[in-house]
Amino acid sequence: MTHRFVGIGELTDVPRVAVVIDVMRAFTVAAWAFSRGAERIVLASSREEALRLKAARPGWLALKDGPPAAGFDAVNSPGLVKSADLAGRTVVQKTTAGTVGALAVAGAPLVLCASFVVAGATARFLRAAGREPVTFVVTGEDGRAAEDLACAEYIGRRIAGGDVEAAPYLRRARTSGAAGELADGVRRGYRGVHPDDVELCLEVDRFDFAMAARREESLLVLRPLPPCR
C-alpha cells in the first residue's frame, strides 16, 4: 500500500486516515503528558484560545512552545513535562507545528498524532484496524523537517510488519535542524528547553499507546488509545 507524505500547506483534500507527525516536540510531549496521568489534551488554534479555555474551565492547564509565559502552566518540553503530576487533568496544548497540523486534518475520519515514542503503537493500531493508505502530515519546516519525515517513513515501514531497524531513522532525526536548535537552546540557557529533550524525543517505542484526535463538541481532543498487541 502506498502512503503519502505531505506538509501542512500541501493538504488539498480531507484524507481518510491522517497521521500527524511532530517529533520535536509536540507529540513527544503529549505522550509524556498521558504517561503522567493527563486524561485528555485539547489542541488549541492559538495561544489566546488556550488561555480562554483554561480560564473558562477550572482545573485545566495550558501548555505552549517557547519560553514560559504568563497564564501558561507548562512549556513544550518533554524533559520538563516528564516530572509533572497531571493525574486526571485536561491539558490545553498550542504549538507552532504539531497542533496546527492536527487541526488542518480535523475533518478526517481518523486522525492520529505521533512521534518516535509512540511509533510502534501507532503502526500496530493502523495495521490491526486495516486503515490504509495513510496520509502522513509532516508538520515541521513546511513538510521538509528531517526528524518528522524520518518518523513518518519509519511508521510507514512498521505498518507493513516485520522487523524494521530504527537506527537509520533515528540518526536522521538526531542530525536534524530541529535537534541542533534544541541543543543550541540548551547551550544558551533558553528557558523553554531541557537538556534531555533531544534524547527523550528519540526514545523509539517508549510508550505502548497510540494517540487519536477527535472532535468532542467544538474542541479537537487528543486521547490515548488502548494498546494493540
Side-chain angles (χ1 to χ4, degrees):
M1 190 69 70
T2 301
H3 308 300
R4 64 171 178 158
F5 305 85
V6 300
I8 298 171
E10 297 171 313
L11 289 163
T12 58
D13 58 2
V14 178
R16 292 175 54 201
V17 180
V19 177
V20 186
I21 307 292
D22 190 333
V23 171
M24 296 186 186
R25 296 168 283 176
F27 298 138
T28 301
V29 167
W32 271 103
F34 288 130
S35 79
R36 298 300 300 162
E39 179 181 343
R40 63 178 183 168
I41 296 174
V42 176
L43 304 177
S45 61
S46 67
R47 294 183 180 183
E48 293 75 18
E49 182 190 22
L51 292 178
R52 285 197 301 270
L53 289 170
K54 174 190 170 181
R57 294 163 175 84
W60 284 24
L61 305 175
L63 180 154
K64 61 177 280 294
D65 53 8
F72 285 89
D73 305 282
V75 295
N76 192 47
S77 162
L80 297 172
V81 170
K82 72 187 291 285
S83 61
D85 180 4
L86 301 176
R89 307 298 289 272
T90 293
V91 177
V92 184
Q93 184 181 37
K94 169 65 181 88
T95 69
T96 304
T99 59
V100 174
L103 288 162
V105 292
L110 177 61
V111 179
L112 301 181
C113 296
S115 62
F116 277 113
V117 296
V118 294
T122 302
R124 286 193 297 274
F125 175 84
L126 291 166
R127 188 166 63 245
R131 305 295 290 271
E132 296 187 71
V134 174
T135 295
F136 287 96
V137 182
V138 179
T139 62
E141 298 179 27
D142 297 322
R144 298 186 298 273
E147 73 284 359
D148 292 343
L149 186 57
C151 183
E153 292 174 356
Y154 176 68
I155 294 172
R157 291 284 305 277
R158 290 284 300 268
I159 292 171
D163 294 330
V164 181
E165 176 58 53
Y169 300 95
L170 294 173
R171 190 176 306 117
R172 288 163 57 189
R174 188 182 298 279
T175 57
S176 67
E181 288 177 7
L182 290 176
D184 185 61
V186 171
R187 287 191 295 271
R188 293 173 179 268
Y190 183 62
R191 294 177 63 209
V193 181
H194 188 278
D196 295 338
D197 277 355
V198 171
E199 293 305 317
L200 290 171
C201 289
L202 300 179
E203 282 191 318
V204 67
D205 299 342
R206 177 67 174 77
F207 304 112
D208 65 355
F209 53 82
M211 303 183 295
R214 300 186 179 98
R215 285 289 183 188
E216 297 184 13
E217 299 179 352
S218 62
L219 303 176
L220 186 62
V221 177
L222 187 65
R223 294 183 186 269
L225 295 171
C228 293
R229 302 300 181 187

